[in-house]
Structure formats: C-alpha cells, structure tokens
Amino acid sequence: MGRRCHAGIVQTNLDEAREWVGRASGRALFLLGAGASKPALPVSAELTEIVLASIDEATLNFAAESRVPELWRDIRPVLASMGSNIEDLYQAVETLTYQDSDPTRFWVKGFMEFPTYGGNTAELARDAQWILDMVQGHTLGALDTAQADAPLGHFEPLLRAAKTGIVTLNYDQLIERAGEKFGVEVSTGAELWDGGFQWQFGTAAVHLLKMHGSMTWRGSRSINHESGNLVPAVGFYETSGLNEAAPNRLLTPTVIFGSGSKTTPFSAFPALTRQFHDWLERSELLVVVGYSFRDQHVDAAIRRWASLSPSRRIVVIDPYPRRHIRQDEDTLGGLLWAMDAEYRTPDADAPSVAATLGKNRMIFLTGGVESLLPALVA
C-alpha cells in the first residue's frame, strides 16, 4: 500500500507506522482520547443523548418546591441545540453559576431570563450547580454502565508493548480492567501522590497516567477527617468502581470535567501535567489514539515536544474519518502541515513545511481502534 490523499486526509502505510514503533525501542508514549474507548463506550452524540434523557427522568423525582426541574426544562432546548459534545454542554450550564462575576456582563445586555428566580442570581447559581453535578454524574454513570461489558482484547498488545507509558484523558477504567483480565499489573500512582508536584508509580509493569482524573479517585484526607477539621488534600484513595465510597465515605470522583481550559492549580493536576511533560521528553515517538486535539494544555505540550527535535515523530489513530483538516483550524492540521512531507491543505496545493525538509515525521491512520491498535503494536 502506498500513500494517497483523499478528502483532505493523508492515509499512510500501516507497515511504516509499525516500523516507527519498532524503531522507538520502547521510547514510545501512548496518548488515549475518548475515541480510544470507542465503540465500547458511548461518545459524542450518543453519550449526550443518554445524559439528557437520564436527567429528564431524574428531575421528575425532585421535591415539589424545588425549582431545578423548571430550570432544566428552560435550558434543555438550548443545550440540545448546541451540538453533541457533553463537555461543551457542561461548560454552558456552568456559566449560569457565575453570571454575577462574568466580565461579559459589562458588554452583553440581556442574559437569558428565568422569571421563576425573580432576578435572584444566587439561587439560580445554586440550582445550576445541581444540574452541573447531574451532567457530570450521569455522564460517568453512562460510561461506567457501558464499560461493564466492554471488549478489552485490543488493549492487551498495548499493555505488553515496550513503551514510555500510557497517558489517558479518559475517566473510565478500561485499561485497568484490561490489565486485570490479562494478568498485567497496572499502576496509576494515585495512592502514592503526596500532595506535591511530583507523580510516581508503583512497581507495576504498566504505568498509566490519568491526566484528567478518574471516576475511581477520591480525596483521601480533604474531608471527614477523624479530627473533624478540614486538612489539606494530600492524597487519594483509589476505589474499584464509580459507586464505591472511599474509607472516609467520600463518593465524589476527582475529575476535570467540561470543555475549555483543563489546566488547574488544584489537587494533583499540576503533578499529573508535569509527569506528562517528563514522559514526552523521554520519548521519540508519540502514538495518539482517538484524541480530537481539543485540550489546549495537551496540544501545546505536543507542539513544543515535536518542535524541539527533528527525530521526534507522531502516529495518529483516529476512528472518525475527517472530511477536512485545515492547517489553521486546529492542532492536528498544524502538525500535519509542519510534519508530514506529503500533506496538502484541502483548499490548496501548497506543500507542507516538512516537504521543504524532505522528511516525513507524521503518520495519520483512519480506522477502528480495535483493529488498528493491535496491528500497530503487536
């Protein structure tokens, strides 16, 4: 198989990608996005439909005096019109919790009115927070339900492959469950975090970095301390499932949810981000699986890593065929233009930056993760 350019997408020889993995000699870092869990778990439009329907049902059980159901009925048509990304919907609802402090209020007149609150933005914010919690909770619940019967066989070659590590932006437990099924010990490092800026792992064969948190992480000593006093969060309990409480009775997962910036100075996230950067520096190849290049802190790190050495390469496995990838539209388009010698923008024949250097550094593979991932690393 050779190369071909079709509908703005560069298709490349899988054999070449396999050669790159072998040449990396264990210095390959795997980055998993939501598409890495497809088709086992619902994503995009399917997940959004499940969550909206679940909240419709849940609001039927609120006390008669609660205004949350009425608020939900008011905002649901707007949310349904926004698109299929559940984290975009979450961010939209979140704006209702800080209208009084949002600087756009100085420029935009006529925020959507909710007559039942009579201008009481504090009560509006309180009820919007209820809905926010439901959006996140029902999303994690849908993922947890689906992963119970998820096929895991395609992850076994990844678990056994030589690599720098596995980074996942997902909250699910597919990798941990695959490790249990195939007898490969996996460490997330969650219970080893000491509250500082370093992240470390156990002696397990596979190190899994869950950059945006996990549905199974609970703050270990931030609330319900035996003294009755609040103390700084200095670690995590790692439970076996979404609905399992930690020894301190905490059920709330530690995750970063919502679109937009996912950078935060709180909890373990600075340590997790630092570990991601450290792993990138030790890697010669980045294998991106089902990631849509929408998280700025991840994209910026990838761009920086790729630009600092001409020997660094990227393989992208994308289960969603894209009709157009524009150079100026997203990180993926920019990377293709800068790193793939045969890439052309869909609306012009301008050669890429890499073409002038005569060296291709990026391979884009479109297809199902269940078939492509094992074929790449087996």
Side-chain angles (χ1 to χ4, degrees):
M1 290 195 320
R3 287 176 170 271
R4 65 185 183 277
C5 185
H6 176 68
I9 296 177
V10 178
Q11 303 287 346
T12 40
N13 193 318
L14 179 60
D15 290 338
E16 184 180 5
R18 287 171 55 89
E19 179 186 343
W20 285 13
V21 173
R23 196 184 308 170
S25 301
R27 299 184 67 188
L29 180 62
F30 290 80
L31 173 64
L32 310 183
S37 299
K38 185 181 184 295
L41 304 189
V43 295
S44 193
E46 183 184 5
L47 180 59
T48 299
E49 290 176 6
I50 291 172
V51 171
L52 293 179
S54 296
I55 298 178
D56 287 343
E57 183 176 351
T59 54
L60 297 176
N61 300 317
F62 273 72
E65 62 272 17
S66 174
R67 286 179 287 189
V68 170
E70 184 174 351
L71 177 60
W72 175 248
R73 288 192 296 270
D74 285 343
I75 67 175
R76 194 193 190 286
V78 179
L79 299 179
S81 70
M82 287 181 56
S84 61
N85 189 308
I86 193 64
E87 292 195 292
D88 286 345
L89 272 62
Y90 180 94
Q91 187 180 25
V93 177
E94 188 177 30
T95 62
L96 297 179
T97 68
Y98 53 76
Q99 281 190 2
D100 281 342
S101 60
D102 190 334
T104 59
R105 72 188 189 280
F106 296 112
W107 306 101
V108 178
K109 291 185 177 180
F111 277 115
M112 184 172 176
E113 293 291 336
F114 301 96
T116 186
Y117 291 95
N120 191 326
T121 54
E123 292 186 6
L124 170 63
R126 178 201 61 200
D127 290 347
Q129 186 62 54
W130 269 101
I131 294 175
L132 272 182
D133 293 341
M134 285 195 291
V135 172
Q136 177 178 303
H138 285 272
T139 298
L140 296 181
L143 297 176
D144 186 52
T145 298
Q147 73 177 2
D149 299 315
L152 301 171
H154 57 293
F155 290 123
E156 183 179 8
L158 171 61
L159 291 171
R160 301 193 185 282
K163 54 191 169 293
T164 306
I166 302 173
V167 179
T168 180
L169 306 178
N170 303 325
Y171 316 118
D172 61 60
Q173 296 174 275
L174 291 186
I175 300 299
E176 297 97 310
R177 291 182 177 216
E180 292 176 4
K181 180 175 182 177
F182 301 113
V184 179
E185 188 179 0
V186 176
S187 172
T188 68
E191 294 195 336
L192 298 176
W193 181 58
D194 63 1
F197 293 96
Q198 301 286 342
W199 195 260
Q200 56 185 327
F201 297 92
T203 58
V206 174
H207 294 167
L208 175 66
L209 187 72
K210 305 190 82 166
M211 269 191 73
H212 293 163
S214 174
M215 64 171 63
T216 61
W217 291 2
R218 314 284 186 261
S220 67
R221 290 189 288 278
S222 58
I223 66 171
N224 292 335
H225 189 260
E226 60 185 12
S227 69
N229 298 320
L230 291 177
V231 296
V234 293
F236 290 120
Y237 289 115
E238 189 165 20
T239 66
S240 61
L242 173 64
N243 298 315
E244 181 181 338
N248 61 356
R249 303 187 299 279
L250 191 65
L251 264 169
T252 306
T254 299
V255 297
I256 302 179
F257 200 83
S259 58
S261 175
K262 283 188 167 67
T263 56
T264 172
F266 301 108
S267 191
F269 298 108
L272 291 164
T273 300
R274 180 173 181 173
Q275 183 62 49
F276 175 50
H277 292 175
D278 289 347
W279 271 359
L280 279 173
E281 286 301 312
R282 288 156 43 192
S283 303
E284 286 299 311
L285 176 68
L286 178 65
V287 180
V288 179
V289 184
Y291 169 54
S292 58
F293 292 88
R294 284 171 53 93
D295 292 330
Q296 293 180 353
H297 66 297
V298 176
D299 296 351
I302 293 173
R303 281 179 176 272
R304 185 179 301 112
W305 167 82
S307 69
L308 291 176
S309 172
S311 66
R312 292 171 174 171
R313 303 180 183 217
I314 299 175
V315 174
V316 176
I317 296 177
D318 193 335
Y320 305 102
R322 303 182 184 215
R323 294 186 59 83
H324 298 291
I325 301 176
R326 300 183 60 86
Q327 172 201 340
D328 58 350
E329 195 168 82
D330 56 23
T331 298
L332 179 56
L335 287 172
L336 277 168
W337 190 75
M339 300 180 68
D340 191 316
E342 297 190 21
Y343 178 67
R344 299 292 186 273
T345 58
D347 53 355
D349 293 326
S352 71
V353 172
T356 64
L357 303 175
K359 183 178 181 181
N360 180 51
R361 298 170 53 202
M362 188 168 184
I363 292 176
F364 189 94
L365 302 172
T366 299
V369 172
E370 288 182 299
S371 59
L372 279 178
L373 184 58
L376 183 65
V377 299

